[in-house]
């Protein structure tokens, strides 16, 4: 297909220019040697929009991930999250979320089929290296929010069979599995529910990763206690640096490391740096956030589109000064100093709010490598952050899944 061949050629040109300076040669060499993975992007939402073409080059801020820019940024593998927002847990809403999650998974298969010379759906740890060697991008599937499961345990296996390799247990509100870190009404289950415990057991049995991003602190400690395998935080940052309740405390990071898991640091502005609450941008966005939280999920598609436009227009009119890659790497430093280099990685949240001043999209990810190198990180350490640590956890989870005595 002409368009796709063009996309590959374009990508090859850009991937050379990312590290044009001589001093960046070392960064380039390390970055291209690494098996790089970003464990959380919300790009499947964009796939449901007919106008979006993932095989051509798109522009930020509207789009931060496509196959062309993945290649430019030397990103070998990625987790596409099938995200559903939490709504009231009625039968109708649960079935709508179940359908939407399935639609996003279908769309992921479809685009990897459409652009099969540049991308391939991946299922196992070994798939990443195999697909990378063939010059393609490995696209894994995750699920953000266990809402589509409802209270039907059999759906865990069903989603595993569809290729889903992690489930983020909750999103911004409590669900039937566990409490969220940001539910306005506070905890409902005091951590993980009875049903949630069954879900964890089933995930361990299948060899599916448990994702603790978004869940409450108490739910997190319940999960590390119950899970027989190490767990991941697919997109979370450090609360000691940015106070958002969504971020992980030092105590949580220590427990995660003890469990053998990994925190994949998120690029979303407020999770990287505390927001400046005195700016006009902050006040305008707060007003919109209130409307989003109270009304968005119940809006019809027309109203949703109008709201999205209002959101974008406001962002453009009152742009925010975003944190930088240097602010971001402070989080990696913090985890390294707290528990060691083996427990930290990268999960951008691109297309779900992620993006920094100097890492606006997936093509600019080599800036993270450059910053780590400037701070004295060794090649071995950088390779661990870019995927070594995450794949170690993924492999342990896979191996547990093969243990039929569980
Ligand atoms: Zn998220």
């Amino acid at each position: 297909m002409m368009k796709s061949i063009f996309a590959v050629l374009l990508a090859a040109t850009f991937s050379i220019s990312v590290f044009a300076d001589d001093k960046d040669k070392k960064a380039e060499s390390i970055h291209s040697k690494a098996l790089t993975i970003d464990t959380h992007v919300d790009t499947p939402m964009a796939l449901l929009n007919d106008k979006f073409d993932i095989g051509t080059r798109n522009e930020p801020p509207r789009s931060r991930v496509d196959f062309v820019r993945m290649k430019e940024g030397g990103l070998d593998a990625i987790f596409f999250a099938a995200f559903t927002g939490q709504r009231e847990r009625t039968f109708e809403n649960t079935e709508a979320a179940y359908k939407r999650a399935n639609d996003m998974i279908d769309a992921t298969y479809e685009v990897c089929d459409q652009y099969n010379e540049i991308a391939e759906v991946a299922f196992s740890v070994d798939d990443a290296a195999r697909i990378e060697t063939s010059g393609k991008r490995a696209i894994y599937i995750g699920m953000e929010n266990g809402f589509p499961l409802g209270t039907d345990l059999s759906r865990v296996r069903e989603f595993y069979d569809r290729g889903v390799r992690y489930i983020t247990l909750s999103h911004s509100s409590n669900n039937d599995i566990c409490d969220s870190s940001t539910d306005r009404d506070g905890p409902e289950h005091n951590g993980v529910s009875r049903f949630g415990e069954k879900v964890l057991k089933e995930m361990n049995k299948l060899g599916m990763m448990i994702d603790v991003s978004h869940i409450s602190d108490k739910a997190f400690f319940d999960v590390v206690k119950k899970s027989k395998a190490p767990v991941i935080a697919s997109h979370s940052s450090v609360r000691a640096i940015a106070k958002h309740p969504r971020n992980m405390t030092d105590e949580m990071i220590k427990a995660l490391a003890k469990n053998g898991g990994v925190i994949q640091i998120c690029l979303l502005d407020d999770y990287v740096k505390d927001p400046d609450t005195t700016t006009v941008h902050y006040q305008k966005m707060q007003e919109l956030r209130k409307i989003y939280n109270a009304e968005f999920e119940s809006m019809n598609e027309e109203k949703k589109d109008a709201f999205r436009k209002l959101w974008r227009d406001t962002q453009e009119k009152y742009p925010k000064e975003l944190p930088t890659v240097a602010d971001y790497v402070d989080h990696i430093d913090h985890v390294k100093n707290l528990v060691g280099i083996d427990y930290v990685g990268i999960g951008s949240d691109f297309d779900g709010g992620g993006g920094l001043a100097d890492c606006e999209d997936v093509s600019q990810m080599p800036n993270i490598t450059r910053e780590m190198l400037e701070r004295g990180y060794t090649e071995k350490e950088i390779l661990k952050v870019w995927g070594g640590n995450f794949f170690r956890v993924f492999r342990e989870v896979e191996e547990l899944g093969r243990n039929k005595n569980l």
Side-chain angles (χ1 to χ4, degrees):
M1 198 182 302
M2 280 309 288
K3 188 162 54 175
S4 311
I5 292 163
F6 175 70
V8 171
L9 288 173
L10 189 72
T13 317
F14 274 95
S15 67
I16 294 163
S17 66
V18 168
F19 291 112
D21 300 327
D22 261 10
K23 64 173 185 170
D24 291 331
K25 283 257 166 68
K26 196 172 177 199
E28 181 187 2
S29 138
I30 294 173
H31 196 82
S32 58
K33 196 185 289 179
L35 183 59
T36 51
I37 183 160
D38 175 347
T39 55
H40 193 98
V41 298
D42 286 306
T43 312
M45 263 193 292
L47 298 181
L48 297 185
N49 178 349
D50 288 342
K51 288 181 209 129
F52 176 68
D53 183 354
I54 199 167
T56 58
R57 195 175 199 284
N58 299 270
E59 291 297 325
R62 193 156 303 186
S63 156
R64 300 183 191 270
V65 178
D66 54 47
F67 296 151
V68 180
R69 285 176 293 167
M70 272 184 80
K71 184 146 186 166
E72 287 174 30
L75 189 68
D76 302 313
I78 201 162
F79 263 88
F80 275 15
F83 161 73
T84 50
Q86 187 63 48
R87 297 180 64 188
E88 197 192 333
R89 280 130 56 193
T90 62
F91 175 77
E92 289 76 19
N93 289 348
T94 306
E95 292 316 290
Y98 172 76
K99 183 185 178 303
R100 189 168 164 82
N102 274 300
D103 286 349
M104 284 188 255
I105 296 168
D106 288 342
T108 301
Y109 281 105
E110 277 162 25
V111 292
C112 289
D113 194 36
Q114 185 187 354
Y115 292 105
N116 59 18
E117 70 280 28
I118 44 175
E120 185 177 330
V121 178
F123 305 97
S124 68
V125 172
D126 290 338
D127 281 349
R130 178 183 58 76
I131 295 170
E132 194 242 353
T133 308
S134 73
K136 293 196 266 188
R137 313 291 113 194
I139 314 298
Y140 289 98
I141 301 169
M143 195 164 95
E144 180 171 27
N145 197 359
F147 183 34
L149 303 179
T151 51
D152 183 349
L153 193 62
S154 73
R155 285 188 178 174
V156 180
R157 178 179 286 275
E158 195 184 312
F159 279 114
Y160 179 87
D161 289 342
R162 295 222 62 205
V164 173
R165 288 299 175 264
Y166 74 64
I167 298 175
T168 315
L169 300 177
S170 79
H171 189 242
S172 46
S173 309
N174 305 333
N175 62 16
D176 284 308
I177 299 171
C178 67
D179 293 329
S180 162
S181 58
T182 49
D183 194 297
R184 273 163 297 159
D185 298 330
E188 176 184 333
H189 311 288
N190 190 30
V192 172
S193 71
R194 283 281 164 83
F195 172 67
E197 287 178 13
K198 288 180 192 160
V199 170
L200 299 179
K201 211 170 166 191
E202 183 70 1
M203 289 174 79
N204 277 170
K205 211 158 96 181
L206 290 164
M208 198 177 195
M209 286 174 283
I210 298 166
D211 180 11
V212 297
S213 288
H214 285 289
I215 73 175
S216 74
D217 293 11
K218 175 65 170 62
F220 164 81
F221 285 108
D222 284 356
V223 169
V224 284
K225 206 160 108 192
K226 297 277 175 201
S227 175
K228 291 194 162 58
V231 302
I232 62 161
S234 74
H235 61 307
S236 290
S237 301
V238 171
R239 208 183 297 170
I241 299 176
K243 286 180 215 62
H244 201 287
R246 245 292 260 108
N247 283 346
M248 295 180 78
T249 64
D250 285 0
E251 201 192 343
M252 289 161 84
I253 295 167
K254 282 183 195 164
L256 181 81
K258 205 169 159 210
N259 156 286
V262 65
I263 172 172
Q264 304 286 105
I265 305 290
C266 184
L267 267 75
L268 196 139
D269 51 7
D270 289 355
Y271 308 159
V272 175
K273 208 173 169 184
D274 288 327
D276 179 353
T277 56
T278 62
T279 61
V280 182
H281 165 88
Y282 182 83
Q283 279 145 19
K284 294 279 177 199
M285 294 317 288
Q286 274 300 93
E287 285 166 21
L288 289 185
R289 226 164 261 134
K290 263 187 212 151
I291 299 172
Y292 178 88
N293 288 333
E295 299 168 31
F296 186 78
E297 285 298 339
S298 55
M299 287 178 190
N300 62 29
E301 278 312 310
E302 202 181 323
K303 281 196 170 163
K304 275 184 178 169
D305 277 345
F307 182 82
R308 287 190 192 103
K309 187 175 179 316
L310 181 64
W311 185 277
R312 281 197 301 270
D313 291 349
T314 311
Q315 295 266 32
E316 263 168 43
K317 203 168 167 197
Y318 308 98
K320 184 186 179 183
E321 213 173 286
L322 291 173
T324 63
V325 166
D327 295 318
Y328 178 79
V329 176
D330 285 348
H331 289 253
I332 300 178
D333 278 354
H334 186 90
V335 178
K336 180 186 163 185
N337 294 332
L338 186 70
V339 291
I341 194 67
D342 293 327
Y343 309 101
V344 62
I346 292 164
S348 70
D349 213 3
F350 280 144
D351 294 334
L356 302 170
D358 45 356
C359 191
E360 280 190 298
D361 67 11
V362 69
S363 73
Q364 296 179 340
M365 285 189 129
N367 289 341
I368 299 172
T369 305
R370 192 180 288 127
E371 179 68 21
M372 283 192 283
L373 202 61
E374 267 171 26
R375 291 189 188 197
Y377 279 67
T378 64
E379 177 173 333
K380 207 172 150 195
E381 287 176 329
I382 294 172
L383 297 188
K384 282 184 176 186
V385 172
W386 265 119
N389 294 334
F390 175 78
F391 282 115
R392 176 200 75 229
V393 176
F394 193 175
R395 196 176 288 282
E396 276 184 54
V397 172
E398 270 185 352
E399 274 163 17
L400 189 75
R402 279 194 279 270
N403 178 354
K404 295 299 164 220
N405 299 322
L406 213 62

mmCIF file of all heavy atoms in Angstrom, residues 40 42 144 171 214 235 246 349, ligand 1:
data_model
loop_
_atom_site.group_PDB
_atom_site.id
_atom_site.type_symbol
_atom_site.label_atom_id
_atom_site.label_comp_id
_atom_site.label_asym_id
_atom_site.label_seq_id
_atom_site.Cartn_x
_atom_site.Cartn_y
_atom_site.Cartn_z
ATOM 1 N N HIS A 40 1.521 2.636 28.709
ATOM 2 C CA HIS A 40 0.137 3.130 28.760
ATOM 3 C C HIS A 40 -0.124 4.324 27.862
ATOM 4 O O HIS A 40 0.330 5.424 28.133
ATOM 5 C CB HIS A 40 -0.271 3.511 30.195
ATOM 6 C CG HIS A 40 -1.736 3.723 30.338
ATOM 7 N ND1 HIS A 40 -2.586 2.751 30.822
ATOM 8 C CD2 HIS A 40 -2.524 4.778 30.026
ATOM 9 C CE1 HIS A 40 -3.826 3.216 30.805
ATOM 10 N NE2 HIS A 40 -3.814 4.443 30.328
ATOM 11 N N ASP A 42 -3.666 6.020 25.596
ATOM 12 C CA ASP A 42 -5.114 5.898 25.389
ATOM 13 C C ASP A 42 -5.500 6.053 23.926
ATOM 14 O O ASP A 42 -6.636 6.439 23.616
ATOM 15 C CB ASP A 42 -5.841 6.929 26.265
ATOM 16 C CG ASP A 42 -5.841 6.522 27.733
ATOM 17 O OD1 ASP A 42 -6.279 5.391 28.016
ATOM 18 O OD2 ASP A 42 -5.399 7.301 28.578
ATOM 19 N N GLU A 144 -7.954 -0.278 30.694
ATOM 20 C CA GLU A 144 -7.949 0.685 31.787
ATOM 21 C C GLU A 144 -9.333 0.801 32.368
ATOM 22 O O GLU A 144 -10.240 1.329 31.733
ATOM 23 C CB GLU A 144 -7.463 2.057 31.297
ATOM 24 C CG GLU A 144 -7.440 3.077 32.431
ATOM 25 C CD GLU A 144 -6.775 4.394 32.062
ATOM 26 O OE1 GLU A 144 -6.782 4.751 30.877
ATOM 27 O OE2 GLU A 144 -6.238 5.058 32.968
ATOM 28 N N HIS A 171 -10.677 3.164 37.656
ATOM 29 C CA HIS A 171 -10.265 4.466 37.114
ATOM 30 C C HIS A 171 -10.540 5.513 38.197
ATOM 31 O O HIS A 171 -10.189 5.254 39.352
ATOM 32 C CB HIS A 171 -10.972 4.763 35.771
ATOM 33 C CG HIS A 171 -10.421 5.961 35.089
ATOM 34 N ND1 HIS A 171 -11.164 7.084 34.832
ATOM 35 C CD2 HIS A 171 -9.168 6.228 34.664
ATOM 36 C CE1 HIS A 171 -10.391 7.996 34.261
ATOM 37 N NE2 HIS A 171 -9.175 7.505 34.138
ATOM 38 N N HIS A 214 -4.247 4.285 39.576
ATOM 39 C CA HIS A 214 -5.588 4.818 39.859
ATOM 40 C C HIS A 214 -6.232 4.258 41.132
ATOM 41 O O HIS A 214 -7.169 4.862 41.649
ATOM 42 C CB HIS A 214 -6.585 4.585 38.702
ATOM 43 C CG HIS A 214 -6.392 5.485 37.534
ATOM 44 N ND1 HIS A 214 -6.697 6.824 37.580
ATOM 45 C CD2 HIS A 214 -5.925 5.253 36.280
ATOM 46 C CE1 HIS A 214 -6.435 7.371 36.411
ATOM 47 N NE2 HIS A 214 -5.945 6.445 35.600
ATOM 48 N N HIS A 235 0.935 3.557 34.717
ATOM 49 C CA HIS A 235 1.155 4.997 34.510
ATOM 50 C C HIS A 235 0.874 5.735 35.815
ATOM 51 O O HIS A 235 -0.230 6.196 36.055
ATOM 52 C CB HIS A 235 0.325 5.533 33.338
ATOM 53 C CG HIS A 235 -1.156 5.389 33.489
ATOM 54 N ND1 HIS A 235 -1.784 4.203 33.775
ATOM 55 C CD2 HIS A 235 -2.162 6.320 33.402
ATOM 56 C CE1 HIS A 235 -3.092 4.405 33.850
ATOM 57 N NE2 HIS A 235 -3.337 5.675 33.630
ATOM 58 N N ARG A 246 -3.367 10.316 43.013
ATOM 59 C CA ARG A 246 -3.190 9.275 41.990
ATOM 60 C C ARG A 246 -1.756 8.742 41.981
ATOM 61 O O ARG A 246 -1.488 7.670 41.474
ATOM 62 C CB ARG A 246 -3.401 9.951 40.638
ATOM 63 C CG ARG A 246 -4.473 9.648 39.732
ATOM 64 C CD ARG A 246 -4.413 8.318 39.119
ATOM 65 N NE ARG A 246 -3.907 8.229 37.774
ATOM 66 C CZ ARG A 246 -2.734 7.716 37.489
ATOM 67 N NH1 ARG A 246 -1.897 7.377 38.417
ATOM 68 N NH2 ARG A 246 -2.401 7.538 36.238
ATOM 69 N N ASP A 349 0.848 7.799 29.197
ATOM 70 C CA ASP A 349 -0.524 8.334 29.209
ATOM 71 C C ASP A 349 -0.773 9.297 28.044
ATOM 72 O O ASP A 349 -1.666 10.142 28.107
ATOM 73 C CB ASP A 349 -0.846 9.039 30.537
ATOM 74 C CG ASP A 349 -2.319 8.873 30.927
ATOM 75 O OD1 ASP A 349 -3.059 8.169 30.206
ATOM 76 O OD2 ASP A 349 -2.736 9.442 31.940
HETATM 77 ZN ZN1 LIG B 1 -5.231 6.712 33.552
#
